[in-house]
Amino acid sequence: PKTAGPDPQDLRMLGLIFFTTLLSCCLSFTFNLSATSSKCFTEELPNDYDVTAMYEAKPGYSQLIDIRVTDHMGSQLLEKTAIDKGQINFKTTIPGDHHICFYNRLVPGVRYRDDMQREIKFELLAGQESVDYAQVARKQHLKPVEINLRIMEDAVKQIHMEYHYFKAREAEMRTTNESNNSRAMWITILNMGIFLGFASWQVLHLKKFFISKKLISG
């Protein structure tokens, strides 16, 4: 008997996840942040995902840099205040969009000027890219072959995790589309019913009017 092959839709999704992983696992930015303003970066992440971010702000007169990490529900995962250079580490607790926001605030008593801004370098490492395998090898005394196996194992786990996440998102979107289509159908039927009812009332009203004017016989 012939065995069923892999679902083409699943293969396409795995390819998309692998391609997305290659593109988004490591993001690097350099941007200017004006005083009294903020800038946020949003990354869609699965649950139980390790994230590491490194940043460095160039000197700026009487300007303090704060960082805040929140999930799409608004829960704060991490906050650092008045630190110009460092590293932040957090693990996601729910799937979805996560926001890393930088705030440039002035020291109390300092007056704002239009030329006040700070240049910030920011690098985001998510999932497997956030793991320092050289440090892991030193701590656990792993041989090169063993660390390579660990890297491959973590890569497979990451792809598997993202596959299930996007699979769930796809099912959620399909349910939403079906619900919207059903609502649109019922709204269309209701509109047609209202239109036919109004047309029927208008015909009866005109008929009564013409009869009352003796333009037509009843």
Side-chain angles (χ1 to χ4, degrees):
K2 294 183 178 180
T3 58
D7 188 350
Q9 186 176 2
D10 289 346
L11 291 177
R12 288 195 297 270
M13 182 175 291
L14 282 172
L16 176 62
I17 291 170
F18 181 72
F19 182 68
T20 304
T21 300
L22 292 178
L23 288 180
S24 63
C25 61
C26 180
L27 303 175
S28 182
F29 305 93
T30 299
F31 60 96
N32 292 321
L33 186 61
S34 300
T36 70
S37 66
S38 62
K39 186 175 184 63
C40 293
F41 297 90
T42 300
E43 186 75 7
E44 186 177 4
L45 301 169
N47 185 32
D48 199 30
Y49 216 62
D50 292 313
V51 180
T52 297
M54 293 163 285
Y55 67 96
E56 180 178 359
K58 288 189 175 180
Y61 172 71
S62 298
Q63 301 169 67
L64 304 176
I65 299 297
D66 301 333
I67 300 179
R68 189 175 300 120
V69 179
T70 57
D71 57 33
H72 70 278
M73 299 296 292
S75 300
Q76 183 171 297
L77 304 180
L78 184 146
E79 183 179 25
K80 285 193 173 185
T81 59
I83 301 178
D84 293 342
K85 179 180 179 180
Q87 176 175 309
I88 57 177
N89 301 279
F90 65 93
K91 182 185 288 287
T92 60
T93 55
I94 57 174
D97 288 340
H98 287 71
H99 313 285
I100 302 176
C101 297
F102 292 83
Y103 302 86
N104 186 3
R105 59 186 173 90
L106 294 175
V107 173
V110 174
R111 182 173 298 179
Y112 171 80
R113 297 197 312 268
D114 291 337
D115 61 344
M116 284 183 163
Q117 65 178 15
R118 300 190 69 175
E119 181 180 302
I120 299 176
K121 293 182 180 179
F122 171 58
E123 183 177 6
L124 178 66
L125 305 173
Q128 185 184 10
E129 288 298 319
S130 65
V131 181
D132 186 349
Y133 286 101
Q135 186 176 2
V136 172
R138 287 194 300 270
K139 285 186 176 180
Q140 301 183 14
H141 307 289
L142 299 178
K143 297 178 181 179
V145 174
E146 294 174 325
I147 197 64
N148 287 333
L149 289 175
R150 173 70 67 85
I151 293 173
M152 288 189 289
E153 180 184 2
D154 290 348
V156 171
K157 287 181 179 179
Q158 178 172 320
I159 293 174
H160 184 263
M161 183 187 302
E162 293 185 355
Y163 169 78
H164 283 286
Y165 170 67
F166 286 109
K167 190 81 170 178
R169 285 296 305 275
E170 181 191 20
E172 182 182 348
M173 293 178 63
R174 188 186 304 116
T175 301
T176 301
N177 289 335
E178 291 174 355
S179 176
N180 291 337
N181 291 338
S182 177
R183 290 178 182 177
M185 180 188 68
W186 285 110
I187 290 175
T188 302
I189 293 174
L190 178 61
N191 288 337
M192 290 180 62
I194 293 174
F195 175 77
L196 292 174
F198 178 77
S200 300
W201 173 84
Q202 193 173 32
V203 169
L204 291 175
H205 177 73
L206 290 174
K207 183 179 180 181
K208 289 181 179 180
F209 175 78
F210 290 145
I211 291 174
S212 66
K213 296 297 182 180
K214 297 182 180 181
L215 297 175
I216 61 173
S217 60

